[in-house]
Amino acid sequence: MSERIRVGVFGSDGKVGQAIVDAVEAADDLEFTVGVDKGDNRSALVESGTQVVVDFTHPSVVMDNLEFLVGNGIHAVVGTTGFDDERLAQVRSWLEASPGTGVLIAPNFAIGAVLSMRFAAAAARFYDSVEVIELHHPHKADAPSGTAYRTARMIAEARAEAGSKPMPDATSEELDGARGADVDGVRVHSVRVAGLVAHQEVLLGTQGETLTIRHDSIDRTSFAPGVLLGVREIGSRPGLTVGLDDLLDL
Amino acid sequence: MSERIRVGVFGSDGKVGQAIVDAVEAADDLEFTVGVDKGDNRSALVESGTQVVVDFTHPSVVMDNLEFLVGNGIHAVVGTTGFDDERLAQVRSWLEASPGTGVLIAPNFAIGAVLSMRFAAAAARFYDSVEVIELHHPHKADAPSGTAYRTARMIAEARAEAGSKPMPDATSEELDGARGADVDGVRVHSVRVAGLVAHQEVLLGTQGETLTIRHDSIDRTSFAPGVLLGVREIGSRPGLTVGLDDLLDL
Amino acid sequence: MSERIRVGVFGSDGKVGQAIVDAVEAADDLEFTVGVDKGDNRSALVESGTQVVVDFTHPSVVMDNLEFLVGNGIHAVVGTTGFDDERLAQVRSWLEASPGTGVLIAPNFAIGAVLSMRFAAAAARFYDSVEVIELHHPHKADAPSGTAYRTARMIAEARAEAGSKPMPDATSEELDGARGADVDGVRVHSVRVAGLVAHQEVLLGTQGETLTIRHDSIDRTSFAPGVLLGVREIGSRPGLTVGLDDLLDL
Amino acid sequence: MSERIRVGVFGSDGKVGQAIVDAVEAADDLEFTVGVDKGDNRSALVESGTQVVVDFTHPSVVMDNLEFLVGNGIHAVVGTTGFDDERLAQVRSWLEASPGTGVLIAPNFAIGAVLSMRFAAAAARFYDSVEVIELHHPHKADAPSGTAYRTARMIAEARAEAGSKPMPDATSEELDGARGADVDGVRVHSVRVAGLVAHQEVLLGTQGETLTIRHDSIDRTSFAPGVLLGVREIGSRPGLTVGLDDLLDL
């Protein structure tokens, strides 16, 4: 059996951090080394021989964390938000000075969400119609969800590239809002129902057949398998990787 | 074995009429007697000992047909549209003079559509949230569908009777139309996708659980089982019955 | 505004008991009075003017609890298992001596599960085919689930009463197990997939249309709304009520 | 605007052939030239300047048709069954002598079915569990369907290649058949319900999330879009192409 990858966690006292520690500890091929929280000394990561560190912390500290990790040749898997072009350029420049090190920064670690978007975009050009239905708990503030919005835009782009015709729609009498929101020509419907968590369905149709790609996330730990995938893969991908997509090798 | 019910059809040359003739002929307990179309003599219905006649014809001729049937003590199952209060009163007065005769007039013979509406209305008061998603082919002119509109109103009525609280919805940033149409406080979403026929989903939710009632109609003959049910039951229900609901004995 | 119902809880220290206390405290029309656990004095229930007590405890103590409650004229809502005919007869005899008191004993408080079964059974006789698909997390020991088994039997009974014909099935080449388990002539399919919790779908079909009744329970607290319904209703239903069905007034 | 592709059809008098003629005539970028049926002279295809011919005929005549087409430099799109290795080798040898000509032979032209299989296989290695549910009309003789069988095998292969662990399944008490058929370790469930046509769902799950890929085919013309895709693409793909997959460029 190959040796286990040694994994540290920034922000291991938080809810998300703790879920990541639990997931690492439950994996046969990974070994949890040390958790570093506010006030802790980061050198423990180096001393423990940690190979990969997961960072789901805060935009205010993540850059400092990354500089430290890259400087010490430790790979990073980052779910912290707030990366603009400037920040990405900074990370790239640090990585140039440490050519064997890899950093993965991803806005969404739910593998199913990423796969859904990719499949929907890949299939879109073969269908006359595509609509997105996203369903969430009623405490959500935005409609549509960010994921649904991105999905619709990816579908619209794929259709534009393929030269798809406008979708057929003979609606002439519409009660306001019935046909959903229009995102670059793709209709998006937002359902808010108690008892739901986070769900999305892309419905594609052509003559006599439909294809449905549905993702159901019912647990806030659904990011864990994507994080573990990142931990396992980043060691063999030096440089900066943005988004989980590249790791999925579809 | 009991004797077979003798069934005639008005408008048997039309597409719908022909489907009804086929369905009657395929049923072990029914016997097709005679089809009557424009120009044919209706007396053949009496001479053939027809017990029930199905009428899916036109508002312009259906009243004349009904007067003839009731006058001859023949039961009627009617899917023709255009019945207002005045017409229903007229049919009732004819039936008073022929007390053993039954007439069923229904706007929707798809049993699943009728059951869906009933179940949704019966369940609504136990749930915090209810939304309706209807999905049709893109040639449909109205959004939402008439069935979805009626379903939403039945749900709203059931909730009002039960004193239900307003549904939870924290949406504060909405892209226009995302949350669907508002029918008496019930959100309705209309999906139009090639390859679909006529589908409806009612989604009800409360803490930790959801209930979904979905109806899929993929064939224009889906009215047939409801018509046959009417044919079998109307003989034992003298007077006027409006809507398939009463026959379902839920 | 009417006065709030005063509610006590047996076993309030347990996981389920705590969830019930939380649900009672969150309800505007209910007031939590006192929780009684092993070693506590039950008289606190009487002294606090408690009107209804919820019991999700253990078969070994529930009878003693019920004798105490009925003897003190306190209504009971019971989710504890292990009630056979003998125990039910005993509860009835206690209730005879306390005619204004009501006891509800139910094996399943998930309203959606109860509604699903009722709707499926009510709809079954209008359809040629009915099958049950239940989907659970892969840690479940039994296949099919108890709920699916009961649902299939209720469907079979409803079809037998209605004189339904055997379901059509031309399968002549079957890979062992493909067509599922046979429960009184109703096929039941058990899916076990990580990421699921507890889900059930009843699929009914006839010419050109299908009706789907689906229940998704994604949280162990999905019994709470049913318990609260019982708490609100049991005061006006003296005597013994078995099962949530009667309270649903369908 | 580019010139329209000139398309002929073998077996144009049959039901499938006629549907193909209709689809070609309805497409802006295609022009129907001539239909050739038993007894007709195939030279009309050459004389009409036909560029692509569609063949959904019979194993007994398809080889003769292909020899004629390739010999005349006409591209072919073939849905006729019965191609074994020997036949494929024969077609390849004809094509060697006509290097600019393309032949597409596919067992399944329903784009959605092909995409479903591909997506399911691509996603399989990221999930702990995968099961297949296929749902068909009750006149079907085999269970599971050929497509479900192939899908399960593709999933099993993808998991084997990725070194996936066996799926979790704690079932210890099973009513015979409840857990479905076992195809190379992938459970397949076959539902047979009146009112269905041909449907398949692949359900993949891991911690806290599931991904569902569903294909619904409700019409025997659902092969048409795949055939038109083949017609449009085969001119730029000389040689033999087996299966629609390669044309989808996923």
Side-chain angles (χ1 to χ4, degrees), chain C:
Chain C
M1 186 183 160
S2 61
E3 262 178 72
R4 298 196 292 173
I5 303 172
R6 297 175 64 77
V7 185
V9 175
F10 271 129
S12 60
D13 278 357
K15 217 166 167 178
V16 172
Q18 193 53 53
I20 292 166
V21 172
D22 291 348
V24 168
E25 290 188 327
D28 293 341
D29 59 337
L30 307 179
E31 181 175 351
F32 175 62
T33 55
V34 61
V36 175
D37 287 276
K38 207 184 283 184
D40 292 349
N41 199 329
R42 295 187 296 206
S43 60
L45 292 168
V46 180
E47 288 150 19
S48 61
T50 295
Q51 296 165 288
V52 184
V53 168
V54 180
D55 186 311
F56 276 67
T57 58
H58 194 267
S60 63
V61 298
V62 67
M63 291 305 282
D64 195 38
N65 288 345
L66 277 173
E67 186 172 16
F68 172 83
L69 293 174
V70 176
N72 283 283
I74 299 175
H75 312 298
V77 171
V78 183
T80 308
T81 56
F83 282 86
D84 52 16
D85 288 347
E86 199 183 329
R87 287 191 157 203
L88 294 175
Q90 176 64 74
V91 175
R92 269 194 201 94
S93 92
W94 290 332
L95 283 164
E96 271 163 33
S98 179
T101 307
V103 170
L104 167 67
I105 297 173
N108 194 338
F109 276 91
I111 290 175
V114 176
L115 289 173
S116 290
M117 279 189 256
R118 286 289 292 269
F119 291 161
R125 68 195 161 98
F126 302 113
Y127 288 89
D128 298 330
S129 312
V130 192
E131 302 204 0
V132 179
I133 306 166
E134 54 94 345
L135 312 97
H136 283 84
H137 58 84
H139 308 301
K140 191 169 179 58
D142 52 325
S145 69
T147 299
Y149 191 85
R150 278 199 303 278
T151 304
R153 294 198 58 170
M154 284 174 67
I155 290 165
E157 268 172 49
R159 285 174 48 87
E161 265 176 46
S164 302
K165 286 191 243 175
M167 298 184 200
D169 184 355
T171 309
S172 54
E173 286 179 60
E174 182 191 357
L175 187 61
D176 199 37
R179 290 284 292 115
D182 183 322
V183 176
D184 294 357
V186 178
R187 296 287 173 160
V188 181
H189 309 269
S190 298
V191 177
R192 298 289 173 267
V193 164
L196 293 175
V197 184
H199 317 258
Q200 180 171 302
E201 198 165 306
V202 180
L203 181 54
L204 308 103
T206 184
Q207 185 183 334
E209 62 156 318
T210 55
L211 177 68
T212 305
I213 298 165
R214 181 174 175 119
H215 179 236
D216 293 272
S217 175
I218 60 161
D219 190 316
R220 277 145 216 275
T221 65
S222 67
F223 56 82
V227 170
L228 298 198
L229 179 72
V231 165
R232 289 175 180 122
E233 297 285 329
I234 195 61
S236 56
R237 296 177 190 252
L240 179 62
T241 302
V242 177
L244 206 61
D245 296 49
D246 287 335
L247 268 66
L248 297 181
D249 284 335
L250 294 176

Side-chain angles (χ1 to χ4, degrees), chain B residues 3-214:
Chain B
E3 262 178 72
R4 299 197 291 172
I5 302 172
R6 299 174 63 77
V7 184
V9 175
F10 271 128
S12 60
D13 279 357
K15 217 166 168 180
V16 172
Q18 193 54 51
I20 292 167
V21 171
D22 291 348
V24 168
E25 290 187 327
D28 292 343
D29 59 337
L30 307 179
E31 182 176 350
F32 176 62
T33 54
V34 61
V36 175
D37 287 276
K38 207 184 281 187
D40 291 349
N41 199 329
R42 297 186 296 205
S43 59
L45 292 167
V46 180
E47 286 150 21
S48 61
T50 296
Q51 295 165 287
V52 184
V53 168
V54 180
D55 185 311
F56 276 68
T57 57
H58 194 268
S60 63
V61 298
V62 67
M63 291 303 284
D64 195 38
N65 288 345
L66 277 174
E67 185 171 17
F68 172 84
L69 293 174
V70 176
N72 283 282
I74 300 174
H75 310 299
V77 171
V78 182
T80 308
T81 55
F83 281 86
D84 52 17
D85 288 348
E86 198 182 333
R87 287 191 158 203
L88 294 175
Q90 176 64 73
V91 175
R92 270 194 200 94
S93 92
W94 289 331
L95 282 163
E96 271 163 34
S98 179
T101 307
V103 170
L104 167 67
I105 297 173
N108 195 337
F109 276 91
I111 290 175
V114 176
L115 289 173
S116 290
M117 278 190 257
R118 286 289 292 267
F119 291 161
R125 68 194 161 100
F126 302 113
Y127 288 89
D128 299 329
S129 311
V130 192
E131 302 204 2
V132 179
I133 306 166
E134 55 93 345
L135 313 96
H136 283 82
H137 57 84
H139 308 301
K140 191 169 179 58
D142 52 326
S145 70
T147 299
Y149 191 85
R150 278 200 302 278
T151 304
R153 293 197 59 169
M154 285 173 66
I155 290 165
E157 268 172 48
R159 284 174 49 86
E161 266 176 45
S164 303
K165 286 191 243 173
M167 300 184 198
D169 184 356
T171 309
S172 54
E173 286 178 61
E174 184 192 357
L175 187 61
D176 198 37
R179 289 285 292 115
D182 183 321
V183 176
D184 294 357
V186 178
R187 296 286 172 161
V188 181
H189 310 269
S190 298
V191 177
R192 298 289 174 267
V193 164
L196 294 174
V197 184
H199 317 258
Q200 180 172 302
E201 199 165 304
V202 180
L203 180 54
L204 308 102
T206 184
Q207 186 183 335
E209 62 156 317
T210 55
L211 176 69
T212 305
I213 299 165
R214 181 175 174 118

